[in-house]
Amino acid sequence: MPSPRDWRTGPHHSDPELTPDPDDVAAVYRQLRKAFEDGKNEPGAADFYYGAMEMRRHDRTGTPPGERGLLWGYWLVSGYGLRASRALGWLLAAMAITIVLIMGLGLPNSSPKQVATGTVPAGGGQVTLAVDKQDPQLTLPVSDRFTQERFDKALRVVLNSVVFRSSGQDLTTWGTYTEMVSRFTEPVLLALAILAMRSRIKR
């Protein structure tokens, strides 16, 4: 039996060769979308846009695999920019995962302080001081990492990362990389959610 994900001909079609391919249906959807847009019918145009994107995603002959992968991700994350709840759900899930990672791996035991070291020449004279800052360390037991105080700090880091801001919080190496990833992914998810809500309002 063919896979349910494959495009199949209608069960009662007299000539399977004449069954429209996804590419043919996508072209019809694009034309209908244009007609609905010209008629100022935004809800109908949005529905046909969704249908055209679905046809492109399922087209295994006319759409390259890489493009289908991008379309699949766009559909999964935000429903082609039309599903606000899906985009917001992914954003909240990403923020929750980031908070857990920051609490468990990213926050050090305490903020490292600057340390000054110097040398005094044997015969006296000028003292040379070197001011350095220790690398953040995390040696707390796992049971002590998930506290209210650490949650508040992790939440501030995550909320700042959504708007491309640095929290100024000292982080371990794992925490620094986690914050870098979140500062890229979470603003993208926020933008998709805003785009989807804007499409809903226009509709």
Side-chain angles (χ1 to χ4, degrees):
M1 293 294 293
S3 170
R5 296 187 177 184
D6 293 337
W7 182 264
R8 292 175 288 178
T9 60
H12 305 296
H13 204 290
S14 58
D15 188 353
E17 295 297 327
L18 297 179
T19 300
D21 292 327
D23 189 38
D24 301 324
V25 179
V28 175
Y29 281 166
R30 284 193 293 268
Q31 294 171 0
L32 290 170
R33 175 193 174 194
K34 181 66 168 59
F36 274 69
E37 287 176 344
D38 293 342
K40 306 302 180 182
N41 187 342
E42 295 293 338
D47 290 337
F48 282 116
Y49 167 75
Y50 191 96
M53 297 294 281
E54 281 285 271
M55 292 300 102
R56 288 178 58 193
R57 184 167 67 92
H58 288 290
D59 187 4
R60 296 180 176 272
T61 58
T63 306
E67 185 177 344
R68 281 194 292 109
L70 290 175
L71 289 171
W72 185 86
Y74 192 24
W75 164 80
L76 182 65
V77 170
S78 65
Y80 310 117
L82 296 174
R83 301 294 186 264
S85 58
R86 190 180 303 180
L88 286 173
W90 280 108
L91 175 61
L92 294 176
M95 292 175 65
I97 292 172
T98 305
I99 288 175
V100 172
L101 290 176
I102 292 292
M103 289 178 66
L105 301 173
L107 292 175
N109 298 344
S110 59
S111 297
K113 299 177 181 178
Q114 291 183 338
V115 178
T117 58
T119 56
V120 179
Q126 186 176 3
V127 178
T128 302
L129 294 177
V131 179
D132 195 10
K133 193 174 184 180
Q134 298 176 344
D135 292 332
Q137 300 293 327
L138 177 59
T139 57
L140 289 174
V142 175
S143 59
D144 294 337
R145 297 181 186 181
F146 298 93
T147 62
Q148 181 64 42
E149 181 182 358
R150 290 174 65 85
F151 174 79
D152 292 338
K153 290 181 180 180
L155 182 61
R156 286 197 297 269
V157 172
V158 173
L159 292 178
N160 279 298
S161 69
V162 174
V163 290
F164 287 111
R165 292 179 54 193
S166 175
S167 62
Q169 172 69 46
D170 290 312
L171 299 172
T172 64
T173 302
W174 278 101
T176 301
Y177 284 114
T178 301
E179 185 186 30
M180 290 170 60
V181 172
S182 67
R183 287 175 69 181
F184 171 77
T185 56
E186 289 166 10
V188 171
L189 292 171
L190 177 62
L192 289 172
I194 293 173
L195 174 65
M197 286 188 289
R198 180 176 177 272
S199 300
R200 285 285 185 182
I201 293 173
K202 281 185 66 177
R203 295 174 65 181

